Amino acid sequence: GCLFLLCYTLLVYDSWLLSARGRLGHGTQTMKHPPSPCDRTCRIDPLTGWCLGCKRSLREIADWPMLSAQEKREMLRGLAGRG
C-alpha cells in the first residue's frame, strides 16, 4: 500500500543520492554509507510504531536518505536492540 510506496521511493532516492554524491566527487573522504535496513515488509506494528521488517519508525524511515553515514550506523546499532 501507501507505506510500501513511501519506503520504496525513499530507498530509490537514497540510492540516487549516494550515486550523485559519488559522481560529484563528494564522499571521497567520508565513510561509505551503509545499505538501508528496508526488507520491503513495510507494515507498521500499531503497538510499537515500528515497521515489522526493518524495525524503524515512520520518522526514521523518512529521515534515512538525509542522514550521514555515521548517523545511519548509529541508527542501525539502535535497531539491533529492537525485537
Side-chain angles (χ1 to χ4, degrees), residues 61-80:
I61 291 167
D63 286 349
W64 183 264
M66 296 166 280
L67 298 177
S68 69
Q70 180 61 36
E71 291 169 324
K72 288 178 180 179
R73 283 175 172 49
E74 289 170 11
M75 183 185 292
L76 290 171
R77 280 192 292 274
L79 296 177

Side-chain angles (χ1 to χ4, degrees), residues 4-71:
F4 176 79
L5 183 59
L6 170 67
C7 292
Y8 181 75
T9 301
L10 291 171
L11 188 64
V12 169
Y13 174 74
D14 191 38
S15 298
W16 173 84
L17 185 61
L18 290 176
S19 102
R21 285 180 182 159
R23 286 193 307 274
L24 296 173
H26 296 111
T28 54
Q29 296 180 355
T30 60
M31 290 189 288
K32 183 178 177 184
H33 285 255
S36 171
C38 180
D39 66 2
R40 297 192 171 116
T41 299
C42 305
R43 281 182 276 145
I44 299 296
D45 182 325
L47 297 177
T48 64
W50 301 334
C51 174
L52 294 171
C54 67
K55 306 300 183 209
R56 293 180 293 172
S57 68
L58 288 174
R59 177 65 181 241
E60 290 167 331
I61 291 167
D63 286 349
W64 183 264
M66 296 166 280
L67 298 177
S68 69
Q70 180 61 36
E71 291 169 324

